[in-house]
Amino acid sequence: MTLKMLQDGSNWMYSNVVKEHFFHPQNLLEKAPKKGEFDGFGEVGSPACGDVMRVWIKVSPDGKKIKECKWQTFGCASAIAATSMMSVIVTEKGGMTLEKALKVTPQMITDRLGGLPTRKIHCSVLGDQALQKAIGEFRSKKD
Amino acid sequence: MTVQNEINALIGKKSKKFIYMDHAATTPMDPRVKKAMEPYFVENFGNPGSFYEVGLKAKMAVTKARENTAKYIKALPEEIIFTGSGTESDNMAIFGVARAKGSGHIITSTIEHHAVEMPCEQLEKDGFKVTYLDVDKYGIVDAKDLKNNLQKDTILVSIMMANNEIGTIQPIKEIGKIIKDFNKKTGANVLFHTDACQAGGSMPIDVKKLGVDLLTLNGSKIYGPKGVGVLYKRKGVKIKPIMYGGFQEAGLRPGTENVPNIVGFAKAFELVQNGMEKENKRLCALRDRMINGIEKSIKKVRLNGHSKNRLPNNVNFTFMDIEGEAFTLFLNELGVYASTGSACTSERLDPSHVIVATGVPYECAHGSVRFTLGHSSTKEDVDYVVKMVAKIVDILRKISPLNLDEKTLKSNLQL
């Protein structure tokens, strides 16, 4: 850790982007979803480990793109910010195709957040796995 | 109201406060301590080991600090060893005894500070036997359990005087007596060490009454300087050094004495020991106000530690369904500083071993937050923080998908 990393927040209290998403969580699910409101749901993590993410998606009528991605997260600030960022990545610019969304990686989310402390990445960037499960559920329902 | 509106209402408005509630991590220095230290940086810079007047002045300062510190713990000056930190004192005591005895059995508890826990773990790897005593749901060591675990080859017992996380005060006097009786009865020579770093600021310390052979103190928790500790070593107790290179501190702590820090420690210790009666009363009232406030305004919480048998400045709660690091980041945004037992702030990525040892299940332990009050804390601060805590918990619970049964928190607590 260098002085510069401390000064710009990338190794201590998080980058400004992380803080922005933590204090302004995007696409948070605030009301319990009605039956059939979403097309897919996925959950990862465990309360005992300290991180749980739930993701709900709506898919475009043609079944190709993600239209909405809502989430809830139990975890530290980086877990909350990372899930928020993930939801932005897959819904921005008219929505990501399911193919592309399946390839969203923790690294992509971390990069967009302006970096995270190394030891945080494997436990707090789990949103992509919840998303994959949600897409999987959507596809299995369709089949 | 949406979650975003709630967050904005919480952090959006006024300028940041400065409410420091992490005095168990470290305390600000008392200005009187700083004043006492000042002459020993530039003016009286001498090496206490030098045989001329400049050195003599430094040596006198160290000697006075030693005598003063000894007086407050009812020890002899030659029983005081100045070290570089509480951690160093703990290491010196544990490795020092282990190296002097060569082999044997050590008893400690599951809620010790890492500065005791990790040396014991290392000694286990080196072939020593270590027993880690469980604690009850309040974090208290059972003295009878300790008695039952004393063995013929036990060389050392190390139990902290008061816990740094949950503030629980241990029955040190009772343990001291048990060990003395055991030694008398069996002819054994079990030594007793206690880490009193957290206790030093708010409890009278009489090494004779406590019946300890070794006792750790440090400066950074008592409004003194960081980087200075004390190990009390009863006269006649043999330990081997863990560092070599000089004859300072009876050869146990080689290296030129940190004169300003030693002077600062002694001054700080004098001030807290003299002032504690009044300050403890004030802090206990604030502590109980905070505990009652949180219990009244927030559901699904657990007070960690004992309601009465705890340090005057310690408040520690587990909030279900949320994670402590996110919580403290909100507090930080408000200018309120507290710490968490969550895995996310630990290098080991495990939640606090202390909270877990008291029976809080892992899924709840992550939501533990410690507030430790101090000289600067006021009733207004406490009321403000209680109000903010309720709001933050509410927001984070809305972000969290968890809604664990309250019984989860209580399930393991029937010890």
Side-chain angles (χ1 to χ4, degrees):
Chain A
M1 194 186 306
T2 62
L3 177 61
K4 197 181 160 293
M5 286 158 93
L6 288 172
Q7 284 165 338
D8 68 19
S10 62
N11 211 299
W12 184 58
M13 283 297 279
Y14 300 126
S15 69
N16 289 334
V17 188
V18 174
K19 281 174 100 174
E20 175 63 25
H21 275 266
F22 178 66
F23 291 119
H24 303 93
Q26 304 295 305
N27 305 309
L28 177 69
L29 184 94
E30 299 198 29
K31 277 189 197 132
K34 286 180 226 116
K35 204 166 184 273
E37 188 182 345
F38 290 94
D39 301 318
F41 167 75
E43 178 179 312
V44 287
S46 86
C49 293
D51 292 283
V52 177
M53 284 86 175
R54 284 187 189 165
V55 166
W56 292 262
I57 54 165
K58 278 187 194 172
V59 179
S60 61
D62 61 6
K64 283 185 179 154
K65 281 183 172 178
I66 292 181
K67 293 311 287 176
E68 256 186 62
C69 176
K70 297 277 186 184
W71 57 271
Q72 286 182 340
T73 290
F74 161 69
C76 61
S78 60
I80 289 169
T83 323
S84 173
M85 180 54 94
M86 193 267 310
S87 75
V88 168
I89 291 173
V90 298
T91 54
E92 66 192 352
K93 296 172 197 154
M96 210 175 231
T97 64
L98 299 188
E99 303 314 318
K100 267 182 125 180
L102 283 169
K103 288 178 191 144
V104 170
T105 62
Q107 191 60 50
M108 286 163 68
I109 299 168
T110 310
D111 288 347
R112 282 284 295 269
L113 287 170
L116 282 173
T118 322
R119 67 197 173 84
K120 292 264 179 182
I121 295 174
H122 84 278
C123 57
S124 58
V125 192
L126 296 170
D128 55 310
Q129 292 176 39
L131 176 71
Q132 286 157 18
K133 283 190 181 174
I135 294 172
E137 198 206 61
F138 163 71
R139 286 188 165 167
S140 70
K141 273 200 284 196
K142 221 176 57 171
D143 291 339
Chain B
M1 193 145 84
T2 65
V3 170
Q4 188 60 63
N5 286 343
E6 281 183 51
I7 296 175
N8 292 347
L10 181 69
I11 64 170
K13 43 187 182 187
K14 39 201 164 217
S15 56
K16 241 183 183 179
K17 296 202 178 244
F18 183 91
I19 301 179
Y20 184 75
M21 289 199 175
D22 205 11
H23 288 81
T26 193
T27 42
M29 191 185 284
D30 188 312
R32 291 169 290 181
V33 173
K34 182 170 171 256
K35 202 169 160 233
M37 291 168 69
E38 261 160 13
Y40 298 96
F41 288 103
V42 178
E43 226 173 296
N44 302 319
F45 63 89
N47 185 329
S50 301
F51 187 66
Y52 40 70
E53 269 175 29
V54 187
L56 181 64
K57 273 192 184 159
K59 196 172 179 74
M60 279 164 67
V62 171
T63 304
K64 188 179 157 205
R66 194 186 311 283
E67 286 176 358
N68 217 6
T69 303
K71 188 181 89 186
Y72 280 99
I73 66 168
K74 311 281 189 297
L76 300 167
E78 62 263 38
E79 294 176 321
I80 302 294
I81 303 160
F82 287 112
T83 68
S85 62
T87 296
E88 189 187 320
S89 298
D90 285 341
N91 273 265
M92 186 184 283
I94 294 164
F95 285 114
V97 169
R99 277 172 47 77
K101 304 258 187 179
S103 65
H105 171 236
I106 296 165
I107 301 175
T108 184
S109 81
T110 52
I111 63 156
E112 295 300 311
H113 189 275
H114 289 321
V116 166
E117 185 198 27
M118 291 169 83
C120 288
E121 286 169 1
Q122 182 56 43
L123 285 173
E124 255 186 304
K125 289 179 199 156
D126 296 345
F128 289 79
K129 284 184 297 173
V130 181
T131 301
Y132 299 89
L133 298 178
D134 285 331
V135 293
D136 68 7
K137 61 181 173 179
Y138 302 117
I140 303 173
V141 171
D142 181 354
K144 280 194 209 82
D145 184 25
L146 185 134
K147 190 176 175 182
N148 295 335
N149 275 286
L150 286 168
Q151 298 167 16
K152 228 172 36 199
D153 64 340
T154 304
I155 55 170
L156 177 70
V157 173
S158 182
I159 305 286
M160 69 201 327
M161 194 158 165
N163 183 267
N164 50 311
E165 292 188 37
I166 58 177
T168 301
I169 296 164
Q170 301 297 342
I172 295 301
K173 217 165 114 182
E174 197 183 338
I175 294 170
K177 192 172 178 303
I178 287 170
I179 293 170
K180 244 184 211 145
D181 290 349
F182 179 82
N183 284 345
K184 214 178 268 170
K185 215 170 75 188
T186 64
N189 183 24
V190 180
L191 296 172
F192 184 23
H193 167 251
T194 189
D195 178 337
C197 287
Q198 293 292 337
S202 54
M203 291 172 74
I205 292 169
D206 181 328
V207 291
K208 301 250 158 46
K209 277 193 190 154
L210 292 173
V212 294
D213 301 293
L214 298 146
L215 179 140
T216 295
L217 291 167
N218 80 348
S220 66
K221 320 280 191 209
I222 58 168
Y223 305 90
K226 295 165 184 61
V228 61
V230 161
L231 181 66
Y232 156 78
K233 182 178 77 66
R234 187 173 58 75
K235 205 174 168 182
V237 168
K238 297 255 179 315
I239 65 170
K240 275 201 172 172
I242 55 172
M243 279 199 280
Y244 294 84
F247 300 99
Q248 293 91 347
E249 303 300 297
L252 287 168
R253 216 287 179 164
T256 302
E257 296 88 340
N258 189 337
V259 180
N261 270 11
I262 289 170
V263 169
F265 173 86
K267 184 70 187 173
F269 194 54
E270 174 193 315
L271 290 171
V272 291
Q273 288 285 318
N274 283 339
M276 70 172 54
E277 208 176 316
K278 204 170 147 207
E279 179 66 348
N280 283 356
K281 227 169 132 187
R282 193 184 77 88
L283 287 176
C284 283
L286 288 180
R287 175 196 72 188
D288 295 342
R289 187 182 180 90
M290 188 156 183
I291 290 173
N292 292 335
I294 288 174
E295 282 179 336
K296 263 191 203 144
S297 57
I298 308 170
K299 286 191 188 113
K300 293 171 81 175
V301 301
R302 179 207 190 212
L303 174 70
N304 293 310
H306 195 275
S307 61
K308 290 278 169 287
N309 186 27
R310 73 189 300 139
L311 290 173
N313 72 338
N314 180 289
V315 176
N316 189 315
F317 272 98
T318 292
F319 302 102
M320 286 183 78
D321 303 327
I322 66 162
E323 192 279 329
E325 188 246 46
F327 178 93
T328 50
L329 197 60
F330 263 111
L331 279 183
N332 176 70
E333 204 62 16
L334 296 169
V336 177
Y337 307 103
S339 69
T340 169
S342 155
C344 278
T345 52
S346 92
E347 291 294 331
R348 290 182 174 186
L349 290 173
D350 277 326
S352 153
H353 68 290
V354 176
I355 305 286
V356 171
T358 62
V360 175
Y362 269 66
E363 51 265 52
C364 302
H366 296 283
S368 305
V369 183
R370 177 188 73 182
F371 304 89
T372 41
L373 310 171
H375 289 350
S376 61
S377 307
T378 65
K379 207 159 89 177
E380 289 70 35
D381 289 349
V382 165
D383 292 348
Y384 175 78
V385 172
V386 168
K387 233 196 263 170
M388 295 304 118
V389 166
K391 287 183 182 176
I392 296 168
V393 169
D394 187 49
I395 289 169
L396 286 172
R397 280 182 179 164
K398 284 179 180 161
I399 295 174
S400 168
L402 298 190
N403 187 9
L404 297 171
D405 191 326
E406 195 162 3
K407 285 186 200 125
T408 318
L409 184 53
K410 309 256 156 79
S411 60
N412 293 346
L413 299 178
Q414 314 306 332
L415 296 167

